Amino acid sequence: MTKDADRLLTTLGQAETSAFLDPTDPESVLIHRRRSGISVGAGRFALAAAEALVSRDLACWSGASGRRKLQLTGAGDAYLRRALSPNEDLAFFHQHRATDTTTIATDLGPARVRVDAEESPLDWLRRRKDRKGEPMIDEASYQAGERLRTDIMLAGLLPGVTARWDGMPGGGPASPGEATDRMVAARQRLRHAYDALGGDFSDLLLDLCGFLKGLEQIERERQWPPRSAKVVVRLALARLAEHYGIEPAAHGPAASRGIRVWQAVVIEGGKS
């Protein structure tokens, strides 16, 4: 593959970037990039570079003939992940998994770790853009869902995935006496959250944040119309954020107090 085709592939993989056939020059492809909600020009490539990607199934054309758009295919996205892998030994792992780095609290202090960005449907919803170019869920809804997910894990409500020989199978402790203070506190927080959400929303968010079910699976199991789950999930997460007191930004006198964003922390003795 030529250097121009390789550079075009890397450009297409950047966030908020799109490529269109130049209406004034059929032999060129224009690059547009969104900045602060405005689409601006970000260069051009020869049409030959675009056709080289299309011939290798790394990109494809879409849209009407007057506004043809060049976009990555699944194979192109996988190829780019492998090429941009920070570790050559893990190149094929990154090809099939979207990863990210984050900071977590450990006994030795903060540590940078690499996490699977596709593990949680919440991460997918935050990365996914709607027709206006906005995330499908805002930061407040994402943080509320992550807080609920943490409490579900701390409460021991999910079934175990390994064999257990000292008690009955299933999630949680073998007896109420084995529950730790941290587990009891998490269950109390969940009870308050579920009371505020109601039965329908609480069951939905348990599937989404606890069992990590995707939107298509939720629609299939509940026999909902296609693309309806994202609307209900938005409403449920918005109500959850309201219950937690999480807002994208504070306004007026509240700007100097109250919760603006929630971040996961190490919880000791049921206190965060």
Side-chain angles (χ1 to χ4, degrees):
M1 194 162 57
T2 65
K3 291 183 178 180
D4 280 349
D6 189 63
R7 289 195 302 111
L8 177 56
L9 180 66
T10 303
T11 301
L12 289 174
Q14 297 176 2
E16 305 291 337
T17 301
S18 54
F20 299 92
L21 186 64
D22 188 349
T24 63
D25 182 7
E27 298 301 320
S28 298
V29 175
L30 296 177
I31 305 299
H32 286 188
R33 184 169 296 128
R34 293 183 65 87
R35 294 179 179 175
S36 302
I38 301 175
S39 180
V40 297
R44 67 171 61 234
F45 287 86
L47 179 63
E51 294 297 347
L53 298 181
V54 173
S55 66
R56 290 168 172 78
D57 194 30
L58 300 178
C60 64
W61 294 105
S62 63
S65 57
R67 188 64 171 174
R68 296 180 67 193
K69 180 179 180 180
L70 184 69
Q71 58 188 21
L72 288 179
T73 61
D77 185 56
Y79 178 92
L80 192 59
R81 289 184 187 181
R82 185 173 70 248
L84 298 179
S85 172
N87 189 329
E88 185 177 353
D89 295 335
L90 298 177
F92 283 94
F93 170 80
H94 291 289
Q95 174 182 345
H96 298 286
R97 284 290 182 183
T99 63
D100 198 1
T101 55
T102 187
T103 302
I104 63 171
T106 67
D107 295 337
L108 301 178
R112 296 284 291 176
V113 297
R114 184 167 294 277
V115 298
D116 185 353
E118 296 180 341
E119 177 189 11
S120 171
L122 290 171
D123 292 319
W124 183 88
L125 287 169
R126 186 172 63 165
R127 294 195 313 271
R128 189 76 172 183
K129 308 293 183 180
D130 58 18
R131 294 180 179 179
K132 297 180 180 180
E134 299 294 333
M136 294 182 64
I137 60 174
D138 58 20
E139 186 65 19
S141 296
Y142 173 79
Q143 296 294 344
E146 282 294 298
R147 180 173 182 176
L148 184 72
R149 179 187 178 191
T150 300
D151 279 342
I152 291 173
M153 296 178 62
L154 292 176
L157 298 183
L158 301 179
V161 296
T162 58
R164 181 175 181 177
W165 305 104
D166 60 344
M168 297 298 293
S175 65
E178 293 184 11
T180 63
D181 292 340
R182 183 170 59 177
M183 184 179 295
V184 172
R187 292 185 178 184
Q188 290 176 345
R189 291 192 296 268
L190 284 176
R191 187 178 302 110
H192 293 320
Y194 288 164
D195 289 342
L197 289 171
D200 292 337
F201 278 172
S202 60
D203 290 343
L204 172 63
L205 292 186
L206 178 61
D207 281 345
L208 181 78
C209 304
F211 291 100
L212 304 182
K213 295 182 180 180
L215 298 186
E216 293 184 358
Q217 183 178 358
I218 289 175
E219 290 170 351
R220 185 169 57 252
E221 292 179 352
R222 287 171 166 75
Q223 298 182 353
W224 288 354
R227 295 179 296 278
S228 62
K230 65 180 180 181
V231 178
V232 185
V233 164
R234 279 179 173 178
L235 295 174
L237 289 174
R239 182 176 297 181
L240 181 65
E242 182 180 359
H243 165 70
Y244 285 142
I246 305 174
E247 297 181 1
H251 302 279
S256 61
R257 64 180 182 271
I259 300 175
R260 298 187 63 183
V261 66
W262 182 90
Q263 297 288 349
V265 297
V266 176
I267 299 176
E268 296 293 344
K271 298 179 181 180
S272 59

